Amino acid sequence: MMAYTYSLILFFTVIICFIASFDKRIRFNRYFGAYIKSAVLVAIPLISWDVWFTAKGVWWFNTDYTLGIVIAGLPLEEWLFFIFIPFSCVFTYFCFDKFFKLGWLSSFNNLIVFVSLIVCVVIALLHYDKIYTLVTAITTSATLIYLHFIARADWIGKASLVFTILMLGFFPVNGVLTGTGLETPIVNYNPGDFLGIRILTIPIEDAVYGYTQFILVLYFFEKFKHTHDESKK
């Protein structure tokens, strides 16, 4: 049973959202194709990052908790992570956007972006010797600059609120991956490569990384969703 731990984490993270996607009031299943394309596009650079960091020993995996199938140094479950986890995040955003009037949150876009950029730049300058911290800060900064100043995304405030709510699920899921409730973590980190600040067992960089992944997938999802809707008219 131990070998199914990572697989079960992914399964229980996605199953409720997947079933709810077919609800007639939600009908998220119409956009499965748009989601898959979005998740794969974002997964390509992020998996490359994952492979690189694993090869450098920035982090590594305890395969006792996986099925034992390893591709390019990553367990199969880690590859699936980039499809399963964002699915629940995007689905949650879709539901909030559908059932609640959250347009007013766009007024916070500038504040969120500028504060985030200042924090990321300062941390990158102060901790340039910690590769996980540095790459996360740079990637998040570049993503926010592109979305806000170039793509002119008006949903950053909404996405940030939804992600804050999603943290309620992030803690137990990522907590188990990083060792909560287990004898040893599934994902282990080199102490010299990150700040060492943890929320329970979770490196704070993981939360920032998760936010960046979420808004990138959401950006492409919104584009593909719009194309899908236009084709149906």
Side-chain angles (χ1 to χ4, degrees):
M1 192 64 182
M2 185 176 175
Y4 294 96
T5 303
Y6 200 164
S7 298
L8 288 172
I9 291 170
L10 296 177
F11 175 78
F12 286 117
T13 299
V14 78
I15 188 60
I16 294 175
C17 295
F18 178 76
I19 293 172
S21 297
F22 296 91
D23 188 296
K24 292 181 180 179
R25 296 166 297 177
I26 300 173
R27 298 180 65 202
F28 185 73
N29 61 298
R30 293 175 296 165
Y31 301 113
F32 280 174
Y35 170 74
I36 291 296
K37 287 188 287 186
S38 305
V40 169
L41 270 175
V42 175
I44 292 171
L46 293 188
I47 287 176
S48 300
W49 171 359
D50 204 343
V51 170
W52 176 43
F53 271 21
T54 302
K56 288 181 65 67
V58 176
W59 56 56
W60 61 94
F61 302 89
N62 184 343
T63 53
D64 290 342
Y65 294 102
T66 70
L67 297 175
I69 302 171
V70 178
I71 304 170
L74 305 180
L76 174 63
E77 293 88 343
E78 182 73 359
W79 288 77
L80 296 176
F81 175 97
F82 292 93
I83 304 297
F84 281 44
I85 300 301
F87 179 88
S88 297
C89 297
V90 172
F91 172 82
T92 302
Y93 174 89
F94 180 85
C95 290
F96 269 87
D97 194 39
K98 185 178 182 68
F99 296 114
F100 299 97
K101 295 180 179 180
L102 300 177
W104 57 275
L105 286 165
S106 61
S107 60
F108 291 94
N109 287 353
N110 285 333
L111 177 64
I112 292 169
V113 171
F114 282 108
V115 171
S116 298
L117 287 177
I118 291 171
V119 171
C120 284
V121 169
V122 169
I123 288 176
L125 291 173
L126 292 176
H127 301 283
Y128 61 87
D129 57 326
K130 297 176 174 61
I131 192 168
Y132 185 21
T133 305
L134 177 65
V135 174
T136 301
I138 291 174
T139 303
T140 301
S141 299
T143 298
L144 287 172
I145 288 171
Y146 174 77
L147 291 179
H148 188 62
F149 297 103
I150 300 175
R152 299 290 181 180
D154 62 355
W155 42 258
I156 292 175
K158 288 191 289 185
S160 299
L161 173 63
V162 171
F163 186 77
T164 302
I165 296 170
L166 284 167
M167 293 295 283
L168 296 173
F170 172 83
F171 288 128
V173 171
N174 217 338
V176 175
L177 290 176
T178 53
T180 301
L182 301 178
E183 291 185 7
T184 56
I186 297 174
V187 186
N188 300 269
Y189 301 82
N190 183 358
D193 290 326
F194 72 108
L195 288 175
I197 300 172
R198 291 181 183 254
I199 307 169
L200 299 178
T201 57
I202 306 166
I204 195 167
E205 287 89 346
D206 279 11
V208 180
Y209 175 100
Y211 175 72
T212 305
Q213 180 187 31
F214 169 51
I215 58 177
L216 278 173
V217 174
L218 185 58
Y219 167 69
F220 288 110
F221 175 76
E222 289 289 341
K223 291 178 71 70
F224 291 132
K225 174 177 172 289
H226 176 73
T227 301
H228 175 276
D229 289 340
E230 288 296 313
S231 69
K232 295 297 181 181
K233 290 182 180 179

